[in-house]
Every structure is written in C-alpha cells, then in structure tokens.
Amino acid sequence: MQRAAARALRGARTLPVRARSAGTGPPPRGLLYERHGEPPAVVQLKDLEVAELGDSDVHVKMLAAPINPADINMIQGTYATLPPLPAVGGNEGVGEVLEVGRRVTALKPGDRVIPAVNGLGTWRTRGVFPQETLLKVPSDIPVPCAATLSVNPCTAFRMLADFESLAPGDSVIQNAANSGVGQAVIQIAKASGIKTINVVRDRADLPKLVERLMALGADHVVTEEMLRKPEMKDIFKSIPKPRLALNCVGGKSTTEMLRHLQPKGTMVTYGGMAKQPVMVPVSAFIFRDVRLRGFWMSQWRKDHAQGEPRLRRDGMDRDSVTSMMDALFQLIRRGQLSAPACTQVPLQDYKAALENSMKPFTSSKQILLL
Ligand SMILES: NC(=O)c1ccc[n+]([C@@H]2O[C@H](COP(=O)([O-])OP(=O)(O)OC[C@H]3O[C@@H](n4cnc5c(N)ncnc54)[C@H](OP(=O)(O)O)[C@@H]3O)[C@@H](O)[C@H]2O)c1
C-alpha cells in the first residue's frame, strides 16, 4: 500500500496539457498548484490530462471533496508529506467509478469510492487512480458524509478506540470541538455512551454553536476561558474526570485542558491549529503521571495496510480498515454520525471557498461540488 500511495502521489503530477486517454468527452478540470504559497494565490482551475487506464486502475468521476486544514498546509508547503509539483489539491472526497482496468475485480462502474490514502488530489472532476488507493462506499451513504469520511471520522474513531479502554459513562475532553474531527468525536462517543466535554473558542454567536454541538450529542460545551474557572468542578459532580483528552490546538488551550485529565490519563495530540507548542507543567507528570501521545491517520493507514488484522482479546477485529469503515457506515445509517456542518460550493467558486476555509470562527466546512 505504501508503494500505491507513492504511485498516487506521482499520479497527482497532473500537467495542464492536451486532454485525454481514459474515457471520452471534455477534458477533466482540477484545482492545480505549481508552487507552494497561499492557496487563493497559487491554486488555479485548469484542464488536466488523465492518465492511460492501466489494468489495475480505476477511472473515477469525482462528485464532491472538502477543503481541510491539511490540504491548505500541503499547498503552503508546511505539511509532513508533500506531493511532487505540479499537484492537484485535496485529500478527501467521494467519486463514482466510470470504468475499471482488466484486473480490477473489487470495483465496477457505478460504485462509489473514497480515497484509501493521502495525496490523491481529489479536487478534480475526473481522475485515474490505482485500485489499491480507493475504498468502496455503499451507495446509501449520503454524498456529503462520504466526501468527508476518509480522514476526520476515521481519526475520531481511532483516537477513541486506541489509547484508553473507555467504557460507557467514562468521559473525554477535547478542544476545537467544533472542528470536523471534533464533531465526529462527539457523535461517535455519544453512540458508545461516552460523555464529552467540548472546548471551543469564545465568539459572538457562542450560544448558537453550543446549541448545535449539544444537538449533535455533546454533554458539556465550555469556552477556553471557562477551563480555568472553579465552575468546571460542577461538571465533575455528574461525570467522572476524563481519562482521554484530544488536543487539536496546542499552546495555552492544551495546558488548560490537561489540568482536568484524570491521573494516569492520556492526552492525544492530533492537530496544532494554534501553531504553538504543547506546554506541560512538571506537576502533571510527577503527581498525575499523565501520558502524552500523538496520532496521525496517514501513519495508521500505512501500519494497517498489510497483513492479517490483529484480533483483540474480545475476539473483535476492530483494528482493520474494513471493520472501522463498517462501524462508521452503521453509525451513518442509524443517524448517529452526520457530515460536519458545511457549505457546498460549485468548483468554479473555488477561490472564495479556499478563502473561507482559512477564516476563523466559521464553523462550516467548505465542500467543493465537482
Ligand atoms: N493527525 C491526524 O491524523 C489528523 C486527522 C484529521 C485532522 N487533523 C488535524 O486536525 C485539525 C482539525 O481538522 P478539521 O478538518 O477537523 O478542521 P476544521 O473542521 O477546518 O476545523 C478547524 C478547527 O480549528 C479551530 N481553530 C482554527 N484556528 C485556531 C486557533 N488559532 N486556535 C484554536 N483553534 C483554532 C477552529 O475553531 P474556530 O471555529 O474557533 O475557528 C475549528 O474548530 C487540523 O489541524 C488537521 O490537520 C489531523
């Protein structure tokens, strides 16, 4: 799978040249960047060449793809892995299979697919991808859910499952709780009977945001300032202190959140939205023996791409991609996991979508309609 991912990244070397090979009709279009920089300045909508459909390849018509912070960081050139340039932006999305190569048996025309790896370049109308870089999604999964499924809900699912053994009634605390990941954490935790304490930044329309997160299943929503207040004790009269903290921010937000973690609890850092380091008081290590961990979905996928799934003691195969995706599909079907609050934007309005995706306090993910 690692080789497939590398091939996919190379596949993203999509030059704005004469069209075609796979399929017919007008050339596909996509959001291409030829150099790193601020996305609205360096990203351009261009005609793309589609590679020849190889025996193990799949020709996909993309339907929708979100703009995530990692996509922005890739274009800025600050992300941990960067595709060769020029590259098509976008790592998540959903598409429909148009045609498949001779050796492809797991997919057929009409199937819905999402990326199984990072770096596919999903902001395009059509593309040819190696079959191993795609996952099939049942057609009853709504398009906005499928388009936003392969990164954020998977990250939320893994962080809730892999670091602490949580039982119904236990609690989790997280910052940036209104992020795509945060909304998925609230819903997946709720479906498992786990209580959530959700930290957001203060804003003019805070009551509206609190109401929205409570409607998703949040048990408590507090601002970063409230984390320091004695009233926090009231929360812990009805629920236990969290065994797990999920950190998407860094800086002061993280230090304050850590104060509420149970002794021997774990804080998992998965994002750094404040672009500031994590500061941990010495006392948290000495007197509470807290554990600090990190999580990266791309690494988890690489680690779980090959070999037999590891069965847990209860015999459940929760560690495989298939079982994780099945669990997420079930949650979606039962109405327990929805797409993040979003704004759907036609592809030609991509500049506004890129700008809006970088604005603070918007609480709405931009989804490009392709
Ligand atoms: N490690 C992994 O595998 C993994 C997987 C998925 C995502 N991530 C990371 O998780 C983060 C969130 O991704 P997403 O797609 O869920 O994001 P998103 O939906 O775009 O939400 C961004 C969140 O960040 C908050 N935020 C923005 N600037 C901030 C700042 N300076 N200080 C504090 N909070 C700030 C926003 O809050 P406001 O409303 O207050 O602006 C919002 O809650 C990103 O850093 C992303 O790269 C990591």
Side-chain angles (χ1 to χ4, degrees):
M1 179 72 92
Q2 258 162 289
R3 270 204 310 276
R7 200 146 71 89
L9 285 176
R10 282 200 302 279
R13 265 183 87 84
T14 325
L15 297 169
V17 291
R18 300 158 278 123
R20 73 130 284 146
S21 349
T24 52
R29 311 197 81 199
L31 297 181
L32 196 89
Y33 56 103
E34 291 171 353
R35 60 188 169 86
H36 295 298
E38 282 314 293
V42 298
V43 171
Q44 290 177 302
L45 180 56
K46 293 211 167 171
D47 285 355
L48 306 175
E49 182 185 30
V50 178
E52 203 71 52
L53 185 74
D55 287 351
S56 303
D57 288 340
V58 182
H59 184 195
V60 178
K61 169 185 155 53
M62 292 302 298
L63 301 173
I67 302 178
N68 288 325
D71 306 328
I72 297 295
N73 296 153
M74 273 191 175
I75 298 166
Q76 290 167 329
T78 58
Y79 199 69
T81 53
L82 298 172
L85 300 181
V88 175
N91 292 284
E92 264 191 322
V94 62
E96 188 178 301
V97 174
L98 292 175
E99 54 185 328
V100 298
R102 277 189 307 131
R103 288 213 202 102
V104 176
T105 51
L107 292 169
K108 59 179 186 323
D111 283 346
R112 293 263 171 93
V113 286
I114 61 174
V117 296
N118 243 10
L120 278 194
T122 52
W123 300 344
R124 61 173 90 209
T125 56
R126 284 193 285 126
V128 168
F129 306 108
Q131 63 170 338
E132 327 83 87
T133 64
L134 300 170
L135 284 177
K136 185 172 163 178
V137 178
S139 56
D140 61 336
I141 302 300
V143 165
C145 276
T148 53
L149 193 58
S150 61
V151 180
N152 289 343
C154 294
T155 299
F157 184 94
R158 295 268 51 109
M159 292 194 300
L160 288 169
D162 293 349
F163 292 91
E164 285 284 341
S165 173
L166 299 171
D170 284 343
S171 79
V172 171
I173 190 167
Q174 62 164 343
N175 54 18
N178 60 328
S179 66
V181 176
Q183 293 174 63
V185 165
I186 291 172
Q187 296 175 87
I188 297 168
K190 172 83 177 172
S192 316
I194 296 161
K195 310 287 179 193
T196 55
I197 303 155
N198 299 282
V199 187
V200 295
R201 294 197 288 181
D202 200 2
R203 66 200 66 219
D205 59 350
L206 180 68
K208 214 167 107 193
L209 177 61
V210 172
E211 194 183 323
R212 196 155 62 71
L213 297 183
M214 297 295 276
L216 278 185
D219 294 282
H220 297 277
V221 181
V222 298
T223 61
E224 304 216 333
E225 294 71 30
M226 283 159 73
L227 278 178
R228 286 191 73 93
K229 300 255 167 78
E231 292 83 58
M232 281 298 289
K233 287 206 180 89
D234 294 341
I235 292 180
F236 301 119
K237 285 177 186 158
S238 57
I239 61 172
K241 283 211 162 202
R243 308 234 320 257
L244 181 67
L246 305 177
N247 171 38
C248 174
V249 177
K252 200 160 167 257
S253 165
T254 310
T255 313
E256 293 302 329
M257 186 168 71
L258 198 62
R259 287 150 59 103
H260 301 289
L261 194 63
Q262 264 190 32
K264 297 194 193 301
T266 304
M267 184 176 78
V268 182
T269 293
Y270 70 96
M273 293 304 297
K275 297 188 167 39
Q276 283 166 15
V278 169
M279 304 277 278
V280 180
V282 166
S283 60
F285 283 121
I286 299 175
F287 302 119
R288 289 191 293 123
D289 190 15
V290 297
R291 281 113 218 255
L292 302 190
R293 300 285 306 274
F295 179 77
W296 190 27
M297 195 64 221
S298 306
Q299 188 60 47
W300 187 92
R301 284 195 190 285
K302 280 181 198 155
D303 293 346
H304 292 78
Q306 279 156 350
E308 286 299 303
R310 285 174 291 142
L311 291 186
R312 292 198 174 185
R313 243 179 274 154
D314 58 8
M316 294 280 288
D317 150 34
R318 290 206 200 93
D319 285 352
S320 76
V321 175
T322 311
S323 58
M324 172 175 68
M325 296 314 296
D326 284 347
L328 293 172
F329 296 150
Q330 286 294 10
L331 289 172
I332 293 168
R333 289 191 182 109
R334 289 194 209 117
Q336 293 173 311
L337 177 63
S338 53
C342 60
T343 308
Q344 301 193 15
V345 186
L347 179 59
Q348 64 269 22
D349 296 336
Y350 71 93
K351 266 195 205 293
L354 286 169
E355 277 160 11
N356 289 334
S357 76
M358 295 167 70
K359 284 186 188 150
F361 307 117
T362 49
S363 297
S364 184
K365 196 162 281 291
Q366 304 290 309
I367 298 191
L368 298 165
L369 301 176
L370 303 163

